[in-house]
Amino acid sequence: MFAKLKNLPLGIVLFISGVFVLLPLGSAAEFSLRQPASNDHGLNNYLWIFEQPEFAHYIGISIALASVASLILLVLLVPTVVWLNLKGQKLRPFVDFITLMPLVIPVVALAIGAQNSLPEFAQTNQFILSFLYAVLAMPYAYRTLDTGLKAIPLKTISEAARGLGANWFVAIFRVITPVIRGTVLSALFMSLALSFGEYTVTSLLHWDTFTTWVTVISQQNVMGAIALSVFSLLAIFIFLLLVGLLAKPATSQALKEEE
Amino acid sequence: MSQAEIQTRKGASLRGTLSGQSLGLILGILPLVSFMGVFFFWPLWSVLWSSFQDNVGAFTLANFQVALGEPYKTAFSNSISLGLISAISSAIPGAVIAYVIESRGGERLRQFVASISGVLSTTGGVPLAFMFIAAYGAEGSATAVLRAFGINIYAGTFTLYSLAGVIFVYSYFMIPTMVIVFSPAVHGIRKEWQEAAKNLGATTAQFWRRVGIPLLFPSFISSLLLLFAAAFSAYATARAMTSGSVALVPLMIGNLVDGNVINDQMNLGKALAMGMVLVSLVAMIPYLLIQRRASRWQ
């Protein structure tokens, strides 16, 4: 009884937070199943989405752009963060600072700047978006990788690899990266999800992706746009939660032992 | 080891710290730094540069003069109020949730809340706007559920398509963001400190007034600033929600870029963008300083 009373504030907070998170989500999901024509619920709005010829086209574009962005980030960040943790302690404050900046500077300013400064050939190729998405996901990916690398005995591992004759390239990509694959995966999926949902830069540079397409179709079919929004939110939630669970098997194992 | 050898070693290591080693260090971060230079700092520099140019490239302050006048003055004041109200109204519940979960929740619950918050904090954009329009619109079932419990959100003048509506929608990702950034600070309030205060005869209220709140206050303010910057510069959700009916700086910049609004000063948008950068920097520099200070005892 005493224990229950003591946990009352926790219960209240969990209940209110749960309602706050799930009520709009569940309610929007219900709304997206409404069929005003026949006044019942069904999958019509979702079927309508899949009938749109642009659907596959834009999903394809968005996945391609997000994949390239994530690849750029990993290739750039994994070696740099390993390097910083091994040798570059002095440069840390500087690198911490420049990788945090995309969080500080309004995205609108970056979009205008890109439009203003990048050469013609870069602006006429949609893959320029991947580079800008990589910039925007940088603060998150950098911190994720940094936390992951701090949790392993990096020095020992790299010295062992180097001692056995591996060069830096082999040490980073074939020894260290597999050790932190959980962290690399979370950084990868985080940047995939962020890039997939990016709207500001995409629309200000006048490109169309899955995200901007949703606003376009909302003008023809609001129910379709709502169904699409619910679908993409739920897909990203499930995706990120699964990754979160998969990426931390070691921690949850440790927790189990603790209990 | 001979004297000469020691000398050279000394010399080498000295020179090493000065040139060879630092060169190596810089090479290690060169790819990242050049990437950020080309795709981030160079575009921003170009905005700054162009904001002081007129249509033929001559130096001028005219862009800023227009940017400081109407209707942009109202837009700046709207955006700053949106940022402030949104930050305060999300920071308080976020701080309470972080405190209750950190102090009363088990390890597993804390982990769970952290990953859910992480996921929610990345939401936003157009899908979030549509989700709220469906749920809390006049016909939405969330509105109906709340009404069944005696809460009629449409009793007053509230609509989703106003500043209040945008603040409400933003809270969906801002409260989780607060939970993420504030939890480490709460975690840092060690149980031992509370016990130590109690042993020295302090009441719970005294502990909070003299120890707890003074310790948490800097982190609270810095989290508040982070939320301010996020709400101040958010674009997609506001655009989808209000479709331009509320004057906000990012939306006005967007209208200029899209050519929806014609202005004969082609660099006006850049001056507005620099104004936004300036406001964000004013908020974020104290954030960074406080974070650094707070990390000392965490």
Side-chain angles (χ1 to χ4, degrees):
Chain A
M1 185 63 210
F2 181 69
K4 265 184 195 162
L5 266 180
K6 205 181 136 202
N7 279 329
L8 191 64
L10 183 64
I12 293 172
V13 161
L14 286 179
F15 176 75
I16 295 178
S17 313
V19 170
F20 173 76
V21 171
L22 295 176
L23 182 63
L25 199 57
S27 166
E30 182 270 326
F31 198 91
S32 69
L33 295 172
R34 287 187 197 175
Q35 298 177 156
S38 51
N39 206 13
D40 60 357
H41 288 79
L43 287 172
N44 272 357
N45 299 315
Y46 288 91
L47 295 176
W48 180 84
I49 301 171
F50 293 110
E51 279 162 16
Q52 301 307 302
E54 299 100 327
F55 176 75
H57 172 68
Y58 284 123
I59 283 244
I61 288 182
S62 281
I63 290 178
L65 291 174
S67 312
V68 173
S70 313
L71 211 67
I72 294 172
L73 264 180
L74 289 186
V75 169
L76 208 55
L77 278 179
V78 172
T80 311
V81 181
V82 168
W83 180 253
L84 280 175
N85 274 289
L86 277 178
K87 309 226 153 168
Q89 287 302 337
K90 273 190 225 158
L91 294 169
R92 275 203 88 92
F94 173 68
V95 180
D96 282 353
F97 178 76
I98 63 165
T99 53
L100 190 72
M101 276 297 113
L103 210 63
V104 177
I105 303 295
V107 184
V108 178
L110 174 65
I112 293 210
Q115 199 188 32
N116 198 33
S117 68
L118 295 175
E120 187 74 20
F121 75 88
Q123 300 226 25
T124 48
N125 189 329
Q126 192 164 9
F127 278 93
I128 185 62
L129 290 177
S130 293
F131 291 85
L132 299 173
Y133 294 168
V135 168
L136 295 177
M138 181 77 70
Y140 303 95
Y142 174 78
R143 262 149 207 84
T144 309
L145 287 172
D146 195 37
T147 317
L149 277 170
K150 276 190 185 136
I152 61 161
L154 181 63
K155 218 172 190 110
T156 318
I157 294 172
S158 68
E159 269 163 14
R162 301 273 289 144
L164 291 170
N167 60 30
W168 276 115
F169 184 83
V170 173
I172 288 177
F173 286 101
R174 304 213 31 208
V175 181
I176 296 167
T177 308
V179 174
I180 53 158
R181 61 182 175 277
T183 310
V184 172
L185 269 183
S186 353
L188 173 71
F189 289 112
M190 182 62 121
S191 30
L192 274 178
L194 283 171
S195 306
F196 194 84
E198 210 290 327
Y199 178 85
T200 312
V201 167
T202 314
S203 92
L204 287 175
L205 292 182
H206 302 120
W207 290 107
D208 270 319
T209 60
F210 183 73
T211 324
T212 60
W213 180 60
V214 179
T215 29
V216 175
I217 62 159
S218 72
Q219 275 143 26
Q220 310 161 25
N221 182 347
V222 181
M223 294 304 287
I226 288 171
L228 205 52
S229 298
V230 170
F231 171 76
S232 68
L233 279 175
L234 283 178
I236 288 179
F237 280 4
I238 292 167
F239 183 67
L240 286 178
L241 279 179
L242 277 181
V243 171
L245 292 178
L246 291 178
K248 286 181 202 140
T251 350
S252 49
Q253 200 62 42
L255 288 178
K256 249 177 225 159
E257 278 154 24
E258 205 177 277
E259 275 170 14
Chain B
M1 207 183 282
S2 75
Q3 195 70 24
E5 243 176 342
I6 292 172
Q7 281 296 331
T8 20
R9 284 208 155 198
K10 247 187 181 169
S13 73
L14 261 181
R15 233 177 298 125
T17 49
L18 288 178
S19 60
Q21 204 189 339
S22 4
L23 198 72
L25 281 182
I26 290 168
L27 274 180
I29 61 165
L30 199 60
L32 179 69
V33 173
S34 11
F35 179 83
M36 289 300 281
V38 172
F39 294 103
F40 186 70
F41 291 102
W42 166 244
L44 286 179
W45 171 252
S46 90
V47 178
L48 178 66
W49 186 252
S50 306
S51 66
F52 287 103
Q53 287 182 332
D54 63 15
N55 293 359
V56 291
F59 176 84
T60 179
L61 289 174
N63 300 318
F64 285 95
Q65 275 161 359
V66 176
L68 288 173
E70 293 298 349
Y72 304 106
K73 210 163 114 185
T74 312
F76 267 105
S77 108
N78 282 345
S79 282
I80 291 172
S81 338
L82 169 67
L84 281 178
I85 302 171
S86 189
I88 294 170
S89 58
S90 295
I92 294 169
V96 171
I97 294 170
Y99 177 71
V100 172
I101 303 279
E102 280 290 330
S103 61
R104 291 167 194 264
E107 185 66 36
R108 192 181 288 245
L109 179 70
R110 292 213 303 255
Q111 202 95 42
F112 177 72
V113 171
S115 33
I116 295 277
S117 305
V119 172
L120 290 175
S121 69
T122 63
T123 58
V126 183
L128 186 67
F130 280 117
M131 179 178 108
F132 267 75
I133 290 170
Y136 289 107
E139 298 292 313
S141 43
T143 311
V145 169
L146 289 182
R147 200 181 290 131
F149 284 97
I151 306 166
N152 183 2
I153 56 171
Y154 288 107
T157 53
F158 178 82
T159 85
L160 271 181
Y161 312 101
S162 63
L163 215 53
V166 173
I167 291 169
F168 180 48
V169 178
Y170 281 3
S171 68
Y172 199 74
F173 63 87
M174 302 244 303
I175 294 178
T177 308
M178 182 68 184
V179 173
I180 296 175
V181 293
F182 195 62
S183 288
V186 181
H187 200 70
I189 295 274
R190 315 248 156 81
K191 269 251 146 58
E192 301 88 80
W193 297 349
Q194 217 155 346
E195 280 155 15
K198 203 171 269 176
N199 285 341
L200 292 170
T203 61
T204 312
Q206 271 173 328
F207 167 76
W208 279 110
R209 207 173 59 225
R210 298 286 178 85
V211 184
I213 291 178
L215 271 174
L216 289 180
F217 191 68
S219 302
F220 181 81
I221 293 296
S222 82
S223 312
L224 196 72
L225 292 168
L226 185 76
L227 296 187
F228 168 82
F232 174 73
S233 53
Y235 175 78
T237 314
R239 188 178 154 167
M241 298 288 302
T242 66
S243 44
S245 64
V246 180
L248 294 170
V249 191
L251 303 187
M252 292 207 147
I253 297 176
N255 280 336
L256 286 168
V257 170
D258 290 346
N260 297 339
V261 172
I262 308 294
N263 189 288
D264 44 11
Q265 279 165 283
M266 63 182 226
N267 287 327
L268 174 60
K270 284 140 205 160
L272 292 172
M274 282 326 290
M276 288 194 71
V277 170
L278 200 67
V279 174
S280 302
L281 285 177
V282 166
M284 291 303 279
I285 288 170
Y287 163 78
L288 294 175
L289 294 177
I290 298 172
Q291 279 292 310
R292 183 165 293 181
R293 225 188 128 73
S295 66
R296 274 193 219 151
W297 53 267
Q298 269 167 22

